[in-house]
């Protein structure tokens, strides 16, 4: 009896040893898997953080746009966005944040500045701007281009100067009275318009440097619009400019006034 018990005891111990060895092997395998999973999770955590930051950036932009929609006019919405985006950029720069996050807001600021420039100019120079845009669109049509080619061919074949002049003046339907009215209106109000732009920019934007850049953009765009206006007049009346052309303000005069306001800031 005693011998049987001993054998049973010995056999039980060997079996337990085998089970213990198998369990240890499984535990080691599981430990290795856990370590690998932890390493993988660490990599995923970094990706998740970047995704969360991108999502936060997108939501911030959407929030600003929703808040801007609460303003009554498009111009006020743009001013709101410019001021807040500029504040975000200033904080990023103070904290030395760089990369795509900063670039995203810089691009948004540039876009809103361009929108403000057009909105601000429409307040004082809407008629001239509308005329320039509509007339340039008409001048780029194929019919107008063909007329230009016909005029060049007529001149090269020895057509009379009177006929060439007649073709130039009739190649495009431009209301002389409208152009004359625009010329005289601009010559009498352009300085007041620039002063109004200056006052608006100083009152709309809290950041001095930001306001200065916007003012330069507005005045530069005004000069470009007026230069395009003068180009249209030259193209329509190449042979004989109308009498009201003497009232055109030279671009150099406008540039001098622009520099005065830039220096005053």
């Amino acid at each position: 009896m005693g011998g049987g018990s001993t054998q049973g005891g010995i056999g039980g111990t060997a079996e337990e040893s085998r089970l213990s060895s198998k369990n240890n092997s499984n535990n080691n395998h599981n430990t290795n898997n856990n370590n690998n999973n932890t390493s993988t999770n660490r990599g995923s955590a970094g990706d998740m953080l970047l995704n969360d930051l991108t999502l936060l950036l997108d939501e911030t932009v959407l929030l600003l746009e929703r808040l801007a929609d609460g303003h009554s006019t498009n111009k006020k919405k743009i001013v709101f966005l410019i001021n807040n985006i500029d504040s975000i950029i200033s904080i990023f720069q103070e904290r030395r944040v760089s990369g795509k996050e900063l670039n995203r807001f810089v691009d948004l600021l540039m876009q809103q500045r361009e929108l403000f420039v057009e909105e601000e100019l429409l307040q004082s120079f809407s008629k001239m701007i509308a005329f320039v845009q509509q007339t340039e669109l008409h001048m780029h049509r194929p019919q107008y281009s063909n007329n230009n080619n016909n005029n060049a061919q007529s001149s090269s074949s020895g057509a009379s100067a009177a006929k060439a002049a007649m073709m130039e003046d009739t190649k495009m339907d431009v209301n002389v009275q409208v152009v004359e009215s625009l010329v005289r209106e601009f010559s009498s109000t352009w300085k007041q318009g620039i002063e109004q732009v200056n006052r608006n920019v100083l009152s709309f934007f809290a950041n001095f440097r930001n306001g200065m850049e916007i003012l330069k953009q507005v005045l530069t765009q005004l000069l470009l619009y007026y230069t395009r206006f003068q180009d249209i007049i030259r193209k329509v009346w190449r042979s004989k400019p109308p009498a009201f052309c003497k009232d055109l303000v030279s671009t150099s005069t406008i540039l001098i006034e622009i520099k005065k306001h830039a220096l005053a800031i």
Side-chain angles (χ1 to χ4, degrees), residues 112-130:
Q112 294 302 319
R113 281 180 176 179
E114 291 177 1
L115 294 174
F116 176 82
V117 167
E118 296 299 325
E119 287 286 338
E120 182 62 30
L121 289 177
L122 287 175
Q123 181 173 335
S124 301
F125 306 99
S126 59
K127 293 180 181 178
M128 182 192 70
I129 292 173

Side-chain angles (χ1 to χ4, degrees), residues 18 30 49 79 91-92 116 163 184 232 261:
R18 286 196 298 271
N30 291 334
L49 178 60
V79 170
I91 293 173
F92 277 9
F116 176 82
K163 183 178 179 180
R184 299 192 188 284
I232 291 173
H261 285 276

Side-chain angles (χ1 to χ4, degrees), residues 4 31 62 69 89 92 124 126 135 187:
T31 300
L62 291 175
D69 288 337
I89 292 174
F92 277 9
S124 301
S126 59
T135 306
S187 65

Side-chain angles (χ1 to χ4, degrees), residues 42-57:
R42 285 174 181 171
S44 299
D47 293 337
M48 290 175 62
L49 178 60
L50 292 176
N51 290 334
D52 289 343
L53 289 174
T54 300
L55 180 61
L56 179 61
L57 187 66

Side-chain angles (χ1 to χ4, degrees), residues 75 78-79 82 110 112-125 128-129 186 190 192-202 204-205 210-228 254-255 257-259 261-262 265:
K75 187 174 181 179
I78 296 171
V79 170
I82 289 176
M110 296 300 104
Q112 294 302 319
R113 281 180 176 179
E114 291 177 1
L115 294 174
F116 176 82
V117 167
E118 296 299 325
E119 287 286 338
E120 182 62 30
L121 289 177
L122 287 175
Q123 181 173 335
S124 301
F125 306 99
M128 182 192 70
I129 292 173
F186 185 87
W190 69 276
Q192 296 92 314
I194 289 179
E195 290 173 358
Q196 183 62 50
V197 169
N198 182 64
R199 287 193 295 269
N200 287 345
V201 171
L202 291 178
F204 288 151
F205 305 109
N210 181 47
M212 181 175 66
E213 291 299 323
I214 292 173
L215 178 61
K216 290 179 181 179
Q217 282 186 246
V218 175
L219 298 181
T220 300
Q221 185 64 20
L222 172 62
L223 182 61
L224 291 175
Y225 270 126
Y226 193 65
T227 300
R228 289 157 61 183
I254 299 174
L255 188 58
E257 191 70 19
I258 289 175
K259 289 180 178 179
H261 285 276
I265 293 179

Side-chain angles (χ1 to χ4, degrees), residues 139-159 163-164 167-168 171-172 235 238:
M139 293 174 74
H140 283 90
R141 291 177 180 175
Q143 182 180 359
Y144 182 79
S145 299
N146 290 336
N147 283 331
N148 275 340
N149 294 333
N150 291 335
N151 290 341
Q153 293 174 1
S154 298
S155 298
S156 62
S157 61
K163 183 178 179 180
M167 291 180 69
E168 286 179 354
K171 65 190 174 186
M172 180 178 172
K235 290 178 181 178
R238 293 180 182 178

